[in-house]
Amino acid sequence: INAEYGVANGIKSVLVGLNGILSTPACSAIIRARKLLGGIVLTASHNPGGPDGDLGIKYNGSNGGPAVESLTDKIFEKTKSITHYKIAKLPPFDLGKIGVQSHGSFSVSVVDSMTDYVPLLQSIFDFPKLKSLVSRPGFKTLYDSLNGVTGPYATKIFVELLGAPPTSTQGHIPLPDFGHGHPDPNLVYAKSLVDRMYSNEHIAFGCAWDGDGDRNMIMGDNFFVTPSDSVAIIAANAQCIPYYKNGLVAVSRSMPTSGALDRVAKKLGIPLYEVPTGWKFFGNLMDKYESEGSSSFICGEESFGTGSAHIREKDGMWATLAWLSILEAKNASVADIVHDHWKTYGRNFYSRYDYESVDADGANKMVQYLRDYAKSLKKGDTLGEYQIDFADEFEYNDPVDKSISRNQGTRFVFTDGSRFVVRLSGTGSVGATIRLYLEKYEPDNAKHHMKTEEALAPLVKVALQTLKLKEFVNIDVPTVIT
């Protein structure tokens, strides 16, 4: 159908992955390598899929990244004035056959889904070293594709190229409805992986990816790595990866992501950019540094997205290979690497509470109430035992194109460095999702052993009292806690 709309509007050729399978990171890589006009990805992403589930449309521009707000705003305005549309009639094309198929002046190129993307990863990481690690006796790994698009990539990279046993992969067959699953790589929806990582199997390294392959979750033997810690640790150890052997030029994180990356940037003496949630906001920064001669830029989001300027999308496979590179270089366990990081930088206790599919009207009223309340607070005011440093609605002024993004989340920041942030997520299709982010920095190594829920308990209490969830959306128990 996309091709039929395209032909009717002047498109002469399209490129499609074999059997219609192409991950979001691979799509970005192909657009960039072949200098294409752009690309469209049809995906449920990290949401339930199938006939009764979600289906999203992602448009990536010629730089391989998500369409910028200036473009999506124009597209939205255009939808308000559409009175008719054009569509061409095309014969069916065989997407299971690699090669070029034509109909008149229009052509479809079916390519191996690994094309451009896997060679790119091989140019970034030292695959021979990774192979020696992955195939090492006693080093057990587990890769869970959650029946999403990464299955064929996991088989190609970890089994065929790095020598992991086929039994190290699970959920590796892409299914239209993800096997009736929810392909969101977190502690709740990746339950099969989590259960095995916390069992007596003693799996040294485990990871999961979402439906379209851009998100990731990293785990060790009986150990979970928060996404905020993950991007900070990758940045702190980037020189373990050949592509970044000369160091990083800058790093960036989304505003709700913990400040762990900030502390790494400070020690490395490089810029740290705080941007709104949404990978598109990293794109301008990546393009800026690439135009200046460097792609050594790493960024991440607390929502299990991590990546660098090698493409313009978050990249779950890249994050997995980055962690394996660090494990190989340090010859240490996942838990040991994280604990060593905390000893050096301190620990950012961090958690996210998701309240999914709540009443949208009530959620919007709650957000407006919080915005008004934040405006009324001044430095020195108290919320429970915490003293306000500042409270505001996050606004981002893009240093590259000078655009301004407003209303990106309400922040309550306290004088001890603790904070909580509230925002609505726009990635679901039913009702609204309220996200509550909680963070406390602890420099004392003697306290790093505390459980996250214990360390954050006083902050959680104050945040929930402030949100008034029961009053606005008649719910007070989160759907997911990560």
PDB file of all heavy atoms in Angstrom, residues 338-349:
ATOM      1  N   VAL A 338      29.349  -2.624  37.125  1.00  0.00           N
ATOM      2  CA  VAL A 338      28.429  -1.606  37.637  1.00  0.00           C
ATOM      3  C   VAL A 338      28.881  -1.124  39.014  1.00  0.00           C
ATOM      4  O   VAL A 338      28.910   0.086  39.286  1.00  0.00           O
ATOM      5  CB  VAL A 338      26.993  -2.152  37.698  1.00  0.00           C
ATOM      6  CG1 VAL A 338      26.057  -1.124  38.351  1.00  0.00           C
ATOM      7  CG2 VAL A 338      26.476  -2.489  36.298  1.00  0.00           C
ATOM      8  N   HIS A 339      29.246  -2.039  39.889  1.00  0.00           N
ATOM      9  CA  HIS A 339      29.675  -1.643  41.232  1.00  0.00           C
ATOM     10  C   HIS A 339      30.944  -0.788  41.184  1.00  0.00           C
ATOM     11  O   HIS A 339      31.073   0.190  41.950  1.00  0.00           O
ATOM     12  CB  HIS A 339      29.913  -2.891  42.088  1.00  0.00           C
ATOM     13  CG  HIS A 339      28.652  -3.606  42.454  1.00  0.00           C
ATOM     14  ND1 HIS A 339      28.569  -4.980  42.585  1.00  0.00           N
ATOM     15  CD2 HIS A 339      27.397  -3.148  42.694  1.00  0.00           C
ATOM     16  CE1 HIS A 339      27.336  -5.322  42.906  1.00  0.00           C
ATOM     17  NE2 HIS A 339      26.608  -4.233  42.977  1.00  0.00           N
ATOM     18  N   ASP A 340      31.878  -1.125  40.305  1.00  0.00           N
ATOM     19  CA  ASP A 340      33.086  -0.312  40.147  1.00  0.00           C
ATOM     20  C   ASP A 340      32.741   1.089  39.651  1.00  0.00           C
ATOM     21  O   ASP A 340      33.364   2.082  40.062  1.00  0.00           O
ATOM     22  CB  ASP A 340      34.064  -0.987  39.180  1.00  0.00           C
ATOM     23  CG  ASP A 340      34.773  -2.191  39.799  1.00  0.00           C
ATOM     24  OD1 ASP A 340      34.713  -2.339  41.033  1.00  0.00           O
ATOM     25  OD2 ASP A 340      35.362  -2.987  39.037  1.00  0.00           O
ATOM     26  N   HIS A 341      31.746   1.155  38.770  1.00  0.00           N
ATOM     27  CA  HIS A 341      31.310   2.460  38.262  1.00  0.00           C
ATOM     28  C   HIS A 341      30.748   3.305  39.404  1.00  0.00           C
ATOM     29  O   HIS A 341      31.061   4.500  39.511  1.00  0.00           O
ATOM     30  CB  HIS A 341      30.250   2.259  37.174  1.00  0.00           C
ATOM     31  CG  HIS A 341      29.804   3.537  36.529  1.00  0.00           C
ATOM     32  ND1 HIS A 341      30.476   4.108  35.474  1.00  0.00           N
ATOM     33  CD2 HIS A 341      28.762   4.364  36.804  1.00  0.00           C
ATOM     34  CE1 HIS A 341      29.865   5.221  35.112  1.00  0.00           C
ATOM     35  NE2 HIS A 341      28.826   5.401  35.912  1.00  0.00           N
ATOM     36  N   TRP A 342      29.942   2.702  40.243  1.00  0.00           N
ATOM     37  CA  TRP A 342      29.372   3.432  41.386  1.00  0.00           C
ATOM     38  C   TRP A 342      30.462   3.923  42.339  1.00  0.00           C
ATOM     39  O   TRP A 342      30.369   5.019  42.888  1.00  0.00           O
ATOM     40  CB  TRP A 342      28.388   2.543  42.148  1.00  0.00           C
ATOM     41  CG  TRP A 342      27.137   2.225  41.387  1.00  0.00           C
ATOM     42  CD1 TRP A 342      26.649   2.867  40.286  1.00  0.00           C
ATOM     43  CD2 TRP A 342      26.213   1.166  41.677  1.00  0.00           C
ATOM     44  NE1 TRP A 342      25.477   2.268  39.863  1.00  0.00           N
ATOM     45  CE2 TRP A 342      25.177   1.234  40.702  1.00  0.00           C
ATOM     46  CE3 TRP A 342      26.148   0.169  42.658  1.00  0.00           C
ATOM     47  CZ2 TRP A 342      24.112   0.335  40.691  1.00  0.00           C
ATOM     48  CZ3 TRP A 342      25.086  -0.717  42.654  1.00  0.00           C
ATOM     49  CH2 TRP A 342      24.069  -0.636  41.678  1.00  0.00           C
ATOM     50  N   LYS A 343      31.483   3.112  42.553  1.00  0.00           N
ATOM     51  CA  LYS A 343      32.578   3.521  43.437  1.00  0.00           C
ATOM     52  C   LYS A 343      33.271   4.772  42.909  1.00  0.00           C
ATOM     53  O   LYS A 343      33.711   5.632  43.674  1.00  0.00           O
ATOM     54  CB  LYS A 343      33.599   2.389  43.564  1.00  0.00           C
ATOM     55  CG  LYS A 343      33.135   1.202  44.401  1.00  0.00           C
ATOM     56  CD  LYS A 343      34.204   0.110  44.433  1.00  0.00           C
ATOM     57  CE  LYS A 343      33.712  -1.108  45.192  1.00  0.00           C
ATOM     58  NZ  LYS A 343      34.720  -2.215  45.183  1.00  0.00           N
ATOM     59  N   THR A 344      33.359   4.859  41.588  1.00  0.00           N
ATOM     60  CA  THR A 344      34.046   6.005  40.967  1.00  0.00           C
ATOM     61  C   THR A 344      33.171   7.245  40.901  1.00  0.00           C
ATOM     62  O   THR A 344      33.625   8.357  41.194  1.00  0.00           O
ATOM     63  CB  THR A 344      34.494   5.632  39.538  1.00  0.00           C
ATOM     64  OG1 THR A 344      35.359   4.497  39.597  1.00  0.00           O
ATOM     65  CG2 THR A 344      35.218   6.799  38.874  1.00  0.00           C
ATOM     66  N   TYR A 345      31.903   7.058  40.526  1.00  0.00           N
ATOM     67  CA  TYR A 345      31.037   8.199  40.225  1.00  0.00           C
ATOM     68  C   TYR A 345      29.911   8.423  41.235  1.00  0.00           C
ATOM     69  O   TYR A 345      29.228   9.446  41.161  1.00  0.00           O
ATOM     70  CB  TYR A 345      30.413   8.018  38.839  1.00  0.00           C
ATOM     71  CG  TYR A 345      31.408   7.996  37.716  1.00  0.00           C
ATOM     72  CD1 TYR A 345      31.902   6.803  37.215  1.00  0.00           C
ATOM     73  CD2 TYR A 345      31.872   9.188  37.153  1.00  0.00           C
ATOM     74  CE1 TYR A 345      32.820   6.783  36.175  1.00  0.00           C
ATOM     75  CE2 TYR A 345      32.792   9.179  36.112  1.00  0.00           C
ATOM     76  CZ  TYR A 345      33.261   7.970  35.632  1.00  0.00           C
ATOM     77  OH  TYR A 345      34.168   7.959  34.602  1.00  0.00           O
ATOM     78  N   GLY A 346      29.711   7.481  42.157  1.00  0.00           N
ATOM     79  CA  GLY A 346      28.528   7.549  42.999  1.00  0.00           C
ATOM     80  C   GLY A 346      27.371   6.849  42.309  1.00  0.00           C
ATOM     81  O   GLY A 346      27.418   6.557  41.106  1.00  0.00           O
ATOM     82  N   ARG A 347      26.324   6.566  43.087  1.00  0.00           N
ATOM     83  CA  ARG A 347      25.177   5.853  42.518  1.00  0.00           C
ATOM     84  C   ARG A 347      23.966   6.770  42.412  1.00  0.00           C
ATOM     85  O   ARG A 347      23.604   7.454  43.371  1.00  0.00           O
ATOM     86  CB  ARG A 347      24.818   4.641  43.372  1.00  0.00           C
ATOM     87  CG  ARG A 347      23.629   3.867  42.817  1.00  0.00           C
ATOM     88  CD  ARG A 347      23.301   2.617  43.617  1.00  0.00           C
ATOM     89  NE  ARG A 347      22.158   1.937  43.018  1.00  0.00           N
ATOM     90  CZ  ARG A 347      21.581   0.835  43.500  1.00  0.00           C
ATOM     91  NH1 ARG A 347      22.048   0.267  44.617  1.00  0.00           N
ATOM     92  NH2 ARG A 347      20.543   0.296  42.899  1.00  0.00           N
ATOM     93  N   ASN A 348      23.347   6.773  41.263  1.00  0.00           N
ATOM     94  CA  ASN A 348      22.077   7.463  41.056  1.00  0.00           C
ATOM     95  C   ASN A 348      20.954   6.445  41.214  1.00  0.00           C
ATOM     96  O   ASN A 348      20.642   5.705  40.281  1.00  0.00           O
ATOM     97  CB  ASN A 348      22.017   8.105  39.670  1.00  0.00           C
ATOM     98  CG  ASN A 348      22.953   9.286  39.541  1.00  0.00           C
ATOM     99  OD1 ASN A 348      24.174   9.115  39.453  1.00  0.00           O
ATOM    100  ND2 ASN A 348      22.393  10.483  39.534  1.00  0.00           N
ATOM    101  N   PHE A 349      20.372   6.377  42.403  1.00  0.00           N
ATOM    102  CA  PHE A 349      19.206   5.509  42.582  1.00  0.00           C
ATOM    103  C   PHE A 349      18.083   6.053  41.708  1.00  0.00           C
ATOM    104  O   PHE A 349      17.776   7.249  41.743  1.00  0.00           O
ATOM    105  CB  PHE A 349      18.772   5.499  44.047  1.00  0.00           C
ATOM    106  CG  PHE A 349      19.671   4.703  44.938  1.00  0.00           C
ATOM    107  CD1 PHE A 349      20.655   5.327  45.696  1.00  0.00           C
ATOM    108  CD2 PHE A 349      19.537   3.320  45.015  1.00  0.00           C
ATOM    109  CE1 PHE A 349      21.486   4.590  46.529  1.00  0.00           C
ATOM    110  CE2 PHE A 349      20.375   2.571  45.844  1.00  0.00           C
ATOM    111  CZ  PHE A 349      21.343   3.203  46.600  1.00  0.00           C
TER     112      PHE A 349
END
